[in-house]
Amino acid sequence: MIILKLIRESFLFAYDALRQNKLRTLLSLLGVTIGIFTIIAVFSAVDTLRNNLQKSVNKLGSNSIYIQKWPWVGEDNFPWWKYMQRPVPKLRDFDQLARRSQTAKAISYEISIDNRTVKYGSNTVEGAQIDAVSHDHDKTWNFDFQDGRYFTEIESRTGAPVTIIGADIASNLFPDGNAIGKEIKIMGRNVTIIGVFAKEGKDMLGITSDNEILLPLNFAKNLIDVQNEKYNPQIIVRGHDNLSDEEVESEVRGIMRSIHSIRPGGEDDFSLNKSTILTNQLDQLFGVVNIAGLIIGGFSVLVGGFGIANIMFVSVKERTNIIGIQKSLGAKNYFILLQFLIEAVALCLMGGLIGLFLVYLGTFAVKAVADIQVVVDAGNVIRALTISVAIGMISGIVPAYFASKLDPVEAIRTN
C-alpha cells in the first residue's frame, strides 16, 4: 500500500509540475517525444516496407529456383559483358530438367511477350502484359482466381486458343462482370477466356497479375519463336516442400552444367536466382536504416534526457523545504529518492506516449494519402515505452539521489 501511495503521489507531483510549468515541461518533454517518434516511425516504416516487399517476394515462391541469363543482384565491378555472351534458357534445357530432376515438384518454361492493346467491342485496354507459360506455371507461381479455372493438361499440350486474364483487364473489357467464355483477339488470333485472376493490386516490386494475359506456351509457339531472347525466357523449378532451396539449387546447377557440357571448374553460363537473394539484400538495407533511425532518435532522446534531468533539478530546488518537512516527519531516504525517480519516469512516459500518439496519427495520414497499411508492431510500442522508462530512470537518478541526501534542518530553512 505504501508503494502504491508513493506512486500515486509521484504521479500527482508530476501532473502538478506539468500544470504549473506548462511551457518549461513541454520543452523538456519535446526531446523525448521527438526521439521516441523518430525511433518508432523509422522502425514502423521499415516493418511496413519489409511487410509489403515480403508479400511481393512470397509470390516468387520460397522454394523456387529461377534459371535465367542475368543475375538479380549485381556484384562489385559488375561484369555485364560476360553475362551478355550467355545463352538464354532453351526448351531443350527445360525438357532435360523435367526428365532428370529428382528434387523438383514442378518445372515451368515462361516467356514475356510484350505489352499489347486488347479490344472487346467498344472497350479497349492498352499496355496489357502478355505471358506464355508451360503447364506447371500454376505450381511454380502463387495466384488465386476470381472466376473460372486454369488450363487443363490437354489445353496446354495441344496449345489450345484459351487464355486467363487479369482483374483490371476483365473489369475494363467486360463491365458487366461476365468475362468467362468471351473471345478476344491476341496476336491476330481469337482466344477464349477461361479464367480471371483475383484482384491483387500493384505491389512494391511491380509484380501483379491484374494487367496480365496468360497463354499456353504451345499456343504461342505456333506464332513466335518462344526461345528468342527478346521474350526473356526463363525456367522456374519449384522444389518439393520437404527440401531446402539449397538442395534444389545444387541439383539444378549440376543438371544444367551437364546439359551445357561445362567442364569441372568451368564457370556457369546461366544464373540461378531465388527469393532469398532479394530477402538477404532487403535485410541488409533495412538493418542500415534501423541503425540510422536509432542514431537519430538516440540523439533526440539524449537531449530529452538532459531536459528531464534539468527539470528534475529545478523541481528539487523548488521543493527543498517540502523535502525537509517530509524527512522531519520520518520519511526515509528511499522514499524521497523513489518519489523524484518515479516523477522523472512519469514525465518521460508522457513524452513517449505523445510520440506514440503522433506515430499513430501519421499512420492514418499515410493510409489516407497513399493507401498503404502501415505496420506498428507491438514490439515497437513496448520498445518505445521501455526506452522512455530507461531515460526517465537515468535522467532522474542523480536529482533524486541529491534530494534524498538533503539535511532536513537545512532543507526546512531554505526559502
Side-chain angles (χ1 to χ4, degrees):
M1 293 299 294
I2 294 176
I3 295 296
L4 291 176
K5 185 177 181 181
L6 175 61
I7 293 174
R8 177 178 175 274
E9 289 181 355
S10 298
F11 272 100
L12 289 175
F13 276 124
Y15 173 75
D16 189 57
L18 180 64
R19 183 176 57 83
Q20 292 183 12
N21 305 282
K22 296 183 180 66
L23 182 60
R24 184 184 70 185
T25 306
L26 180 63
L27 293 174
S28 299
L29 294 179
L30 192 59
V32 176
T33 299
I34 294 174
I36 296 299
F37 173 80
T38 302
I39 292 173
I40 304 307
V42 169
F43 285 167
S44 296
V46 168
D47 288 344
T48 299
L49 286 172
R50 180 182 285 114
N51 185 60
N52 286 288
L53 286 171
Q54 193 61 49
K55 288 180 180 178
S56 302
V57 172
N58 289 341
K59 293 180 183 178
L60 303 177
S62 59
N63 198 19
S64 293
I65 307 297
Y66 289 73
I67 305 172
Q68 297 168 317
K69 177 176 179 176
W70 297 86
W72 285 351
V73 178
E75 310 162 358
D76 293 337
N77 300 319
F78 186 70
W80 57 268
W81 59 91
K82 178 177 65 177
Y83 298 118
M84 282 285 293
Q85 298 173 5
R86 287 180 171 182
V88 295
K90 302 293 185 180
L91 286 173
R92 175 175 173 270
D93 302 332
F94 167 68
D95 293 334
Q96 288 289 322
L97 277 167
R99 184 173 61 85
R100 297 165 59 177
S101 176
Q102 300 296 317
T103 63
K105 180 179 179 180
I107 303 177
S108 65
Y109 191 91
E110 307 184 0
I111 63 170
S112 178
I113 299 174
D114 55 16
N115 296 329
R116 299 288 182 93
T117 298
V118 182
K119 295 182 179 180
Y120 182 82
S122 60
N123 300 322
T124 302
V125 173
E126 295 182 356
Q129 175 62 44
I130 301 177
D131 297 322
V133 299
S134 61
H135 186 65
D136 279 354
H137 173 74
D138 63 329
K139 300 181 182 69
T140 59
W141 200 267
N142 300 321
F143 54 81
D144 296 312
F145 283 100
Q146 175 180 304
D147 293 307
R149 59 175 176 83
Y150 187 66
F151 309 124
T152 65
E153 188 171 353
I154 293 177
E155 288 170 340
S156 294
R157 188 170 61 248
T158 60
V162 293
T163 186
I164 304 170
I165 63 175
D168 287 349
I169 294 177
S171 62
N172 288 324
L173 293 183
F174 309 100
D176 59 358
N178 187 20
I180 305 300
K182 302 292 177 59
E183 286 190 354
I184 56 177
K185 182 170 286 188
I186 299 174
M187 295 187 294
R189 298 288 185 89
N190 290 328
V191 294
T192 303
I193 299 171
I194 62 170
V196 178
F197 292 118
K199 177 73 174 178
E200 290 183 346
K202 197 166 186 178
D203 58 31
M204 300 191 72
L205 291 181
I207 301 174
T208 181
S209 63
D210 294 345
N211 204 40
E212 180 183 20
I213 295 177
L214 197 67
L215 298 169
L217 182 69
N218 286 335
F219 173 81
K221 192 190 298 185
N222 296 324
L223 305 176
I224 59 174
D225 177 13
V226 297
Q227 299 181 99
N228 193 303
E229 185 172 354
K230 69 179 181 179
Y231 300 127
N232 298 314
Q234 62 179 352
I235 300 172
I236 303 178
V237 181
R238 181 74 171 265
H240 288 288
D241 296 336
N242 61 336
L243 299 177
S244 66
D245 55 354
E246 287 81 9
E247 292 175 289
V248 180
E249 180 182 8
S250 177
E251 189 209 43
V252 169
R253 173 171 277 109
I255 295 175
M256 287 295 296
R257 288 178 64 88
S258 173
I259 296 170
H260 290 190
S261 301
I262 300 175
R263 296 180 179 180
E267 191 173 356
D268 294 343
D269 62 354
F270 54 87
S271 293
L272 299 183
N273 297 312
K274 52 186 179 178
S275 60
T276 52
I277 295 176
L278 298 179
T279 302
N280 293 337
Q281 291 292 315
L282 293 175
D283 287 342
Q284 292 178 14
L285 172 64
F286 292 145
V288 173
V289 176
N290 275 333
I291 292 173
L294 277 174
I295 292 174
I296 296 171
F299 276 114
S300 298
V301 169
L302 184 64
V303 173
F306 282 118
I308 296 296
N310 178 64
I311 196 175
M312 291 309 301
F313 274 115
V314 173
S315 183
V316 170
K317 187 70 174 177
E318 291 175 343
R319 287 153 44 189
T320 301
N321 58 342
I322 298 176
I323 295 170
I325 294 172
Q326 287 179 325
K327 298 191 75 171
S328 66
L329 293 175
K332 303 295 184 182
N333 286 350
Y334 76 86
F335 184 89
I336 303 299
L337 185 143
L338 287 177
Q339 187 181 87
F340 282 92
L341 191 60
I342 292 174
E343 182 177 341
V345 171
L347 289 171
C348 280
L349 274 175
M350 290 180 191
L353 290 172
I354 294 172
L356 282 173
F357 178 70
L358 293 177
V359 170
Y360 274 103
L361 286 181
T363 62
F364 291 120
V366 171
K367 176 67 176 175
V369 173
D371 194 26
I372 297 175
Q373 189 66 41
V374 180
V375 178
V376 182
D377 188 66
N380 289 336
V381 174
I382 295 173
R383 187 180 293 115
L385 297 179
T386 302
I387 293 173
S388 298
V389 171
I391 291 299
M393 295 183 68
I394 295 172
S395 303
I397 188 66
V398 174
Y401 179 79
F402 177 75
S404 68
K405 292 301 182 180
L406 287 175
D407 181 81
V409 176
E410 295 295 330
I412 292 173
R413 290 177 179 175
T414 304
N415 292 327

